[in-house]
Amino acid sequence: MGSDLPNNGAIAEVIAEAFADIGYQVSFEFYPWARAMEQAQLGRVDCTGLWLKTDSRESEFYFSEPVLEEKHVFFYNRADKPILDSFEALKLYSYVGLEDFSYGLDLDNIIRAKQINMHRVSNDKQAFGMLLKNRISIYPQEMAVGYYLLRQDFSEQDMKKIAHIEQPFM
């Protein structure tokens, strides 16, 4: 999904069609993650999409059946490949993540317990920029989204500096 994509992207088309089937016409507004959540919590928008289902979110919102299957991976700078072969190894690295973004129950619990250090930023461009400058070691992100964003916001030379751990964390 994205305001710069034809028809706001494939998932937006699925959402629009689902609502059209029950007699509703939708319009999309795009916000950073934290603001999108706030808009929905305050009732300023009727729906918000592409959120990972968590217990706390489920207590506030209704969720549809899944419309997308994703593969979340750890991105890193090729100059300093992390070795993530155990839970203890996770603690050796610095992370960047998006504000108010859920990385799944397991990783969220590790972050909340301060077992890993995660610096929060408001957008992916900042996160990948920190990774490129070696200010952090790891950026967890959905694989296809991550590479799409790299192609959109960074040079080919910068893109060659970034890779991902093959084994998804979620």
Side-chain angles (χ1 to χ4, degrees):
M1 280 184 75
S3 60
D4 58 334
L5 298 172
N7 298 320
N8 295 315
I11 297 302
E13 288 181 6
V14 170
I15 292 168
E17 285 179 29
F19 276 97
D21 286 350
I22 56 172
Y24 291 92
Q25 182 178 359
V26 300
S27 63
F28 293 94
E29 298 174 17
F30 294 88
Y31 304 103
W33 285 103
R35 191 159 154 226
M37 178 61 74
E38 178 184 60
Q39 294 294 314
Q41 288 169 323
L42 295 173
R44 294 181 181 153
V45 295
D46 296 312
C47 301
T48 181
L50 296 184
W51 292 94
L52 183 66
K53 190 182 212 178
T54 65
D55 289 341
S56 64
R57 290 176 183 163
E58 199 169 19
S59 70
E60 291 187 79
F61 300 101
Y62 294 107
F63 281 79
S64 71
E65 291 300 315
V67 294
L68 176 65
E69 187 174 306
E70 297 181 317
K71 181 179 177 180
H72 291 256
V73 297
F74 291 121
F75 283 89
Y76 65 92
N77 187 316
R78 289 180 190 268
D80 189 24
K81 182 179 181 178
I83 299 170
L84 302 175
D85 55 0
S86 70
F87 173 74
E88 289 301 314
L90 286 174
K91 297 176 184 181
L92 300 174
Y93 300 97
S94 59
Y95 298 77
V96 65
L98 300 178
E99 293 171 2
D100 294 328
F101 193 88
S102 174
Y103 292 97
L105 184 61
D106 293 337
L107 191 54
D108 285 352
N109 285 339
I110 292 168
I111 295 165
R112 197 172 7 269
K114 300 195 183 303
Q115 293 175 314
I116 64 171
N117 177 29
M118 181 175 276
H119 180 82
R120 297 286 188 156
V121 295
S122 62
N123 63 62
D124 298 280
K125 190 172 183 177
Q126 289 175 304
F128 277 119
M130 290 177 74
L131 196 60
L132 284 164
K133 293 175 184 171
N134 282 321
R135 290 182 55 207
I136 52 92
S137 304
I138 295 170
Y139 177 40
Q141 178 53 275
E142 199 283 327
M143 188 173 71
V145 169
Y147 283 111
Y148 170 79
L149 294 166
L150 283 167
R151 285 191 304 274
Q152 292 298 113
D153 295 327
F154 295 93
S155 69
E156 193 171 321
Q157 183 180 356
D158 282 341
M159 285 179 51
K160 288 178 182 177
K161 295 176 184 174
I162 302 293
H164 71 277
I165 302 291
E166 285 297 321
Q167 178 65 35
F169 68 86
M170 181 176 64

